[in-house]
């Protein structure tokens, strides 16, 4: 595969150079798309030419850049919720232009909701890529009074979650820990608030979201399943403004202001919840004494150094706190900061430098009769990334590199009272560093487009570190340790490295349909260690070492895309197959928390995931929306040398996130220029579970005998949500407001989050269903902007 990739890349570069010579000189066109009302840049606006077969999308500054041959062009500029315009231009020299779009709120036939623009959906070489602007997300039903980034992503084909009230998502048969979630380039580990009902991304701060579940750009690495890149809004505005919302469960307020007009902008935002009243109103005494809340803080500064360069600093802090029955309290969250420098160079070149620091943290406080304790877990990731891009005629090339330093603190337990019988335990820190070099080229010809990327990643496990050697004739356990080696600080323990080729190809059959192929290899050196089905504050991460090898994923995909009726309807069908080496699973009864010899509880296996994704999108008219269906399977095979390292007799078994069928409908109907109705319905197969099938007694102790792993399923999941959005008429043009009325779980489905078992005398253990929210849940939110 590597040889084929290199030969193909060289052939395409040679062909590209030959075509460039024959086609003649090219000129640089730089443009900016802004709103007519306030002069703000429009992110994700689509600029197309050559009857829509070629195009660009504006970046976070509303800017696009392209090299064009000399000649006349008819540009079409469009964006969600804006009137489309066309401009005729003549290119015979470098040009810099500005385009102004105005709101389109009267013509109902022009209401547009797109998850991807025509350029990126049909005509690009990328496949398995979804781009969501905040405007399109706001067209979806507002759950719990707010539109939500992560809950919107779950509605896309190929995406699922393990259940209601569970944080994290599963992408194309991958685990939660195989996704890389970035906010302005900085990794975010806890992506949800309040048991998964809210995401950490404030709708008033978010600008757009890109999900890569295939055709992953070479600049991204470190995860085998997907990348979710979330970008915050631009703060370079012409006047001060406030954006926010007041609801029954949560409220938010964002302040954006120019410090120096068109040069220096500032944004500060906060969001919080006051959901305790819900628990206090419950009839259950334990719930009455419980509490749950979250807080988000965002800040951002944009400094336009000149018309070609920009410096941006953004930071985020978020945390959750909850306590059950006053016995145990939990606190967990994220901190992330990013410094970004971007400059447009001569000749269609650009340079970006990015420095980030991320922390995820959790704390557990216990207050029992004689067990008062505090448990702290903390992980830090420091990263530097640089890349240079260049327009070469109709083609684009990017090269760059990055470095990551990991410092994981997987657990520190200490007593908080002299009467506590809890002993102090401190787990050794886990240190490592990862490097990456990458190059990617996009080649555009008449009907064929290529994206070819190559990434080289290298990882080093570093000391301080204690390494244990085990007897090869036994399974790894504390009793089979035969030697101990200590590595000093910054001393290398072991290293791993390898190439990660990626290639995508698109063939435009005609202006309305295309066919695509793709392959990608990715490597993952940091692993989420958790044998629970949902993200929890006690989850830990573990770096690869001499016992835990990197995960390596190879994914192949094929797709067919077709638009109908002047692009009013967009349809797609994609097939994928992914094979993952060194997938991590756990021995029966594994003890993962506060374990200094964690490798004794882990087993390595092979992961297989495959599926088919179908989507139909209606993008214009009074009724807009999306229908999607996904058939997806995810299996693991663990067949180790010893009995303790064999699961299900070494045969394939479903992963806990294996959910074969998933059907989602999202509809939005524009009743008038002021009122719209939104509906979401989703159905999915219940996730796998292991159950006790019999029991036996040893003395006076009853012991349950469980089925093979994940051979049964909890009941299927389905739910309907509805919301109304009302925009009152306002004579004050600078003041905008709206009301959102929503009902979550309209028909009160008691979807099971988990199934648990209780022992019954003289009978096998009996199953019980745990539902997080089994009633219709109304919400109301007042949104404003001025």
């Amino acid at each position: 595969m590597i040889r084929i990739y290199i030969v193909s890349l060289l052939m395409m570069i040679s062909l590209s150079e030959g075509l460039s010579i024959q086609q003649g000189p090219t000129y640089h066109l730089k443009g900016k798309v802004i709103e007519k009302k306030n002069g703000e840049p429009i992110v994700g606006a689509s600029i197309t030419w050559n009857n829509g077969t070629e195009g660009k999308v504006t970046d976070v500054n509303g800017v696009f850049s392209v090299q064009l041959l000399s000649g006349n062009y008819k540009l079409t500029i469009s964006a969600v919720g804006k009137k489309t315009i066309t401009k005729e231009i003549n290119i015979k020299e470098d040009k810099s232009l500005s385009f102004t779009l105005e709101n389109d709120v009267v013509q109902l036939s022009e209401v547009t909701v797109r998850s991807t623009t025509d350029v990126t959906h049909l005509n690009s070489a990328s496949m398995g890529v979804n781009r969501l602007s905040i405007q399109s997300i706001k067209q979806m039903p507002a759950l719990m009074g707010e539109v939500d980034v992560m809950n919107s992503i779950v509605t896309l084909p190929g995406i699922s979650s393990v259940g209601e009230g569970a944080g994290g998502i599963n992408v194309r048969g991958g685990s939660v820990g195989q996704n890389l979630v970035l906010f302005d380039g900085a990794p975010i580990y806890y992506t949800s608030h309040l048991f998964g009902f809210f995401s950490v991304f404030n709708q008033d701060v978010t600008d757009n979201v890109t999900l890569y579940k295939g055709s992953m750009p070479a600049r991204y690495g470190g995860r085998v399943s997907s990348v979710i890149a979330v970008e915050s809004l631009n703060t370079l505005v012409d006047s001060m403004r406030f954006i926010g919302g007041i609801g029954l469960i949560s409220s938010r307020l964002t302040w954006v202001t120019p410090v120096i007009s068109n040069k220096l902008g500032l944004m500060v935002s906060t969001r919080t919840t006051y959901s305790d009243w819900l628990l206090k109103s419950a009839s259950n005494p334990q719930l009455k004494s419980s509490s749950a809340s979250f807080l988000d803080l965002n800040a951002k500064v944009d400094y336009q150094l000149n018309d070609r360069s920009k410096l941006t600093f953004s930071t985020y802090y978020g945390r959750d706190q909850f306590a059950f029955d006053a016995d145990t309290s939990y606190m967990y969250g994220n901190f992330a900061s990013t410094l970004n420098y971007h400059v447009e160079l001569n000749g269609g070149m650009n340079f970006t430098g990015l420095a980030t620091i991320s922390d995820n943290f959790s704390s557990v406080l216990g207050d029992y009769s004689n067990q008062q304790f505090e448990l702290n877990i903390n992980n830090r990731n420091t990263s530097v990334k640089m890349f240079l891009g260049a327009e070469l005629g109709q083609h684009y090339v990017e090269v760059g590199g990055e470095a990551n330093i990991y410092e994981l603190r997987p657990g520190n337990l200490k007593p908080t009272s002299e009467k506590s019988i809890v002993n102090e335990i401190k787990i050794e820190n886990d240190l490592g560093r990862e490097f990456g070099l990458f190059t990617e080229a996009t080649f555009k010809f008449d009907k064929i487009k290529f994206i070819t990327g190559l990434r080289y990643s290298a990882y080093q496990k570093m000391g301080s570190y204690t390494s244990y050697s085990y007897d090869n004739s036994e399974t790894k356990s504390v009793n089979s340790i035969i030697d101990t080696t200590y590595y000093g600080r910054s001393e290398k323990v072991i290293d791993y490295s390898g190439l990660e080729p990626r290639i995508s190809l698109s063939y435009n059959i005609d202006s309305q349909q295309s066919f695509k192929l793709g392959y990608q290899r990715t490597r993952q050196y940091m692993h989420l260690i958790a044998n629970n089905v949902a993200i929890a504050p006690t989850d830990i991460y573990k770096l690869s070492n001499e016992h835990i090898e990197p995960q390596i994923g190879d994914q192949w995909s094929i797709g067919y895309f077709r638009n109908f009726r002047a692009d009013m309807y967009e349809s797609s069908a994609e097939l994928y197959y992914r094979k993952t080496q060194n997938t991590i699973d756990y021995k029966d009864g594994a003890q993962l928390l506060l374990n200094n010899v964690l490798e004794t509880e882990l087993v390595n296996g092979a992961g297989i995931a495959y599926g088919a994704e179908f989507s139909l999108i209606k993008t214009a008219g009074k009724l807009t929306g999306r229908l999607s269906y996904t058939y997806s399977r995810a299996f693991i095979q663990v067949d180790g040398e010893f009995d303790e390292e064999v699961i299900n007799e070494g045969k394939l078994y479903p992963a806990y996130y294996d959910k074969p069928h998933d059907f989602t409908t999202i509809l939005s109907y524009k009743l008038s220029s002021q009122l719209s109705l939104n509906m979401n319905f989703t159905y999915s197969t219940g996730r796998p579970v292991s159950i006790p099938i019999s029991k036996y007694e040893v003395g006076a102790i009853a012991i349950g005998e469980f089925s093979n792993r994940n051979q049964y399923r909890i009941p299927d999941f389905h739910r309907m949500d509805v919301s109304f959005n009302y925009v009152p008429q306002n004579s004050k043009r600078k003041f905008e407001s709206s009301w959102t009325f929503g009902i979550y779980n309209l028909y009160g489905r008691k979807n099971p989050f988990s199934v648990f078992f209780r022992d019954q005398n003289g009978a096998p253990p009996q199953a019980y269903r745990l539902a997080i929210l089994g009633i219709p849940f109304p919400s109301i939110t007042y949104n404003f902007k001025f």
Side-chain angles (χ1 to χ4, degrees), residues 701-748:
I701 301 176
I703 300 175
E705 181 179 1
F706 278 76
S707 66
N708 283 341
R709 190 169 298 186
N710 294 346
Q711 297 304 297
Y712 292 83
R713 293 185 181 273
I714 66 174
D716 292 352
F717 176 97
H718 53 87
R719 192 189 75 233
M720 178 180 288
D721 312 309
V722 295
S723 69
F724 295 88
N725 196 58
Y726 173 67
V727 181
Q729 289 183 345
N730 197 313
S731 58
K732 298 180 180 179
R733 297 186 62 186
K734 291 186 177 181
F735 185 85
E736 300 176 14
S737 65
S738 66
W739 289 89
T740 299
F741 307 87
I743 302 178
Y744 181 90
N745 196 14
L746 179 65
Y747 51 82

Side-chain angles (χ1 to χ4, degrees), residues 175-445:
S175 69
V176 171
Q178 292 174 336
N179 303 315
L180 177 63
V181 181
L182 302 172
F183 185 54
D184 284 340
I188 299 293
Y189 296 94
Y190 292 116
T191 60
S192 298
H193 287 310
L194 208 62
F195 322 115
F197 288 109
F198 294 84
S199 81
V200 301
F201 304 110
N202 184 341
Q203 69 177 62
D204 297 329
V205 172
T206 303
D207 203 347
N208 58 83
V209 184
T210 305
L211 166 68
Y212 300 96
K213 56 187 177 179
S215 297
M216 190 182 296
R219 70 171 68 171
Y220 296 122
R223 298 295 188 275
V224 299
S225 186
S226 75
V227 174
I228 302 169
V230 182
E231 296 177 345
S232 61
L233 59 81
N234 181 44
T235 69
L236 294 176
V237 295
D238 60 346
S239 61
M240 183 188 303
R241 63 199 57 192
F242 293 90
I243 311 167
I246 302 172
L248 294 176
I249 305 172
S250 65
S251 291
R252 61 193 195 277
L253 179 63
T254 299
W255 174 52
V256 187
T257 184
V259 179
I260 302 175
S261 181
N262 297 320
K263 194 172 184 67
L264 182 64
L266 170 67
M267 179 271 290
V268 178
S269 179
T270 185
R271 181 174 64 144
T272 189
T273 185
Y274 28 84
S275 52
D276 281 356
W277 67 270
L278 292 172
L279 300 175
K280 303 302 180 187
S281 62
S283 58
N284 187 303
Q286 289 182 312
L287 288 178
K288 278 182 175 292
S289 61
S290 300
S291 63
S293 64
F294 70 80
L295 171 71
D296 283 325
L297 297 171
N298 290 86
K300 185 178 181 181
V301 176
D302 287 306
Y303 182 37
Q304 193 76 43
L305 301 171
N306 52 52
D307 62 349
R308 287 178 172 266
S309 61
K310 181 180 177 183
L311 185 66
T312 299
F313 173 77
S314 65
T315 187
Y316 165 75
Y317 171 82
R319 73 161 192 264
D320 273 72
Q321 291 181 297
F322 63 92
F324 291 118
D325 200 22
D327 286 334
T328 309
S329 62
Y330 300 83
M331 188 273 290
Y332 64 94
N334 307 278
F335 168 78
S337 290
T338 302
L339 183 64
N340 186 317
Y341 174 70
H342 179 80
V343 58
E344 297 287 337
L345 305 172
N346 293 327
M349 300 179 66
N350 65 84
F351 170 81
T352 301
L354 193 70
T356 69
I357 184 169
S358 297
D359 273 299
N360 74 300
F361 51 85
S362 66
S363 177
V364 182
L365 289 175
D367 188 13
Y368 301 95
S369 59
N370 62 347
Q371 298 182 46
Q372 294 82 27
F373 65 88
E374 180 179 1
L375 171 64
N376 292 299
I377 299 172
N378 174 257
N379 304 304
R380 172 168 292 186
N381 177 195
T382 306
S383 173
V384 175
K385 178 182 289 187
M386 294 179 287
F387 47 92
L388 179 70
E391 299 273 357
L392 302 175
Q394 299 297 306
H395 318 304
Y396 185 79
V397 176
E398 182 177 276
V399 296
E402 70 173 310
N404 291 272
I405 298 176
Y406 303 110
E407 186 174 0
L408 313 184
R409 301 179 179 91
N412 183 12
L413 177 70
K414 59 183 180 181
T416 56
S417 168
E418 293 181 356
K419 299 179 181 180
S420 177
I421 64 173
V422 174
N423 296 319
E424 184 171 3
I425 301 175
K426 185 175 183 179
I427 303 300
E428 189 175 51
N429 291 348
D430 200 4
L431 307 174
R433 53 196 184 195
E434 180 184 350
F435 306 94
L437 295 173
F438 53 86
T439 179
E440 185 168 279
T442 302
F443 300 97
K444 299 180 180 180
F445 305 109

Side-chain angles (χ1 to χ4, degrees), residues 431-675:
L431 307 174
R433 53 196 184 195
E434 180 184 350
F435 306 94
L437 295 173
F438 53 86
T439 179
E440 185 168 279
T442 302
F443 300 97
K444 299 180 180 180
F445 305 109
D446 183 21
K447 288 181 173 292
I448 297 177
K449 299 181 181 67
F450 290 93
I451 300 178
T452 60
L454 183 63
R455 181 183 180 89
Y456 174 77
S457 64
Y459 163 83
Q460 296 175 336
K461 165 63 182 168
M462 308 300 296
S464 303
Y465 176 68
T466 303
S467 174
Y468 298 99
S469 299
Y470 298 89
D471 187 343
N472 291 330
S473 64
E474 301 179 43
T475 187
K476 291 185 179 70
S477 69
V478 174
N479 297 326
S480 65
I481 296 175
I482 58 174
D483 197 10
T484 302
T485 304
Y486 179 76
Y487 293 86
R489 184 166 183 82
S490 300
E491 188 176 355
K492 186 178 72 173
V493 178
I494 193 172
D495 56 10
Y496 298 98
S497 63
L499 293 171
E500 304 176 31
R502 294 121 192 244
I503 186 167
S504 300
L505 179 149
S506 172
Y507 175 73
N508 279 36
I509 301 171
D510 54 39
S511 62
Q512 292 295 298
Q513 53 185 334
S514 63
F515 175 78
K516 302 182 183 182
L517 294 170
Y519 166 78
Q520 66 181 30
R521 165 168 282 201
T522 50
R523 295 174 183 267
Q524 180 168 335
Y525 301 103
M526 186 168 68
H527 318 277
L528 176 62
I529 307 297
N531 56 2
N532 42 275
V533 299
I535 293 293
T538 53
D539 291 346
I540 59 176
Y541 285 87
K542 186 71 175 175
L543 297 175
S544 293
N545 56 33
E546 72 279 24
H547 303 295
I548 304 173
E549 297 183 34
Q551 298 180 61
I552 303 174
D554 293 281
Q555 178 175 283
W556 295 264
S557 53
I558 184 173
Y560 174 72
F561 302 80
R562 178 162 186 152
N563 289 2
F564 302 90
R565 297 187 61 182
D567 299 331
M568 178 180 289
Y569 295 92
E570 300 177 359
S571 65
S572 65
E574 297 185 47
L575 307 176
Y576 68 88
Y577 177 86
R578 183 171 67 236
K579 192 171 184 179
T580 306
Q581 304 175 42
N582 305 319
T583 296
I584 293 177
D585 212 328
Y586 313 98
K587 296 179 180 179
D588 292 333
Q591 173 60 42
L592 304 181
L593 189 63
L594 296 172
N595 191 340
N596 260 317
V597 285
L598 190 59
E599 63 269 13
T600 63
E601 304 288 359
L602 309 180
V603 289
N604 279 343
I608 296 175
Y610 56 86
E613 302 167 2
F614 304 93
S615 176
L616 177 64
I617 305 172
K618 187 174 185 290
T619 64
K622 290 185 179 182
L623 177 66
T624 59
R626 179 178 64 244
L627 305 177
S628 61
Y629 167 74
T630 302
Y631 175 76
S632 175
R633 301 307 310 267
F635 296 97
I636 300 175
Q637 184 175 31
V638 177
D639 190 11
E641 184 178 354
F642 306 100
D643 290 344
E644 298 88 343
E645 299 170 3
V646 177
I647 298 177
N648 288 13
E649 301 175 347
K651 300 176 182 177
L652 286 172
Y653 60 93
Y656 69 83
Y657 40 84
D658 174 68
K659 302 175 74 174
H661 301 285
D662 188 289
F663 174 76
T664 301
T665 301
I666 296 176
L667 297 175
S668 179
Y669 187 76
K670 196 78 172 179
L671 298 168
S672 69
S673 61
Q674 296 176 267
L675 184 63

Side-chain angles (χ1 to χ4, degrees), residues 740-760:
T740 299
F741 307 87
I743 302 178
Y744 181 90
N745 196 14
L746 179 65
Y747 51 82
R749 164 73 173 173
K750 290 181 171 59
N751 283 302
F753 174 75
S754 66
V755 173
F756 61 96
F757 300 86
R758 289 176 177 167
D759 189 43
Q760 301 287 332

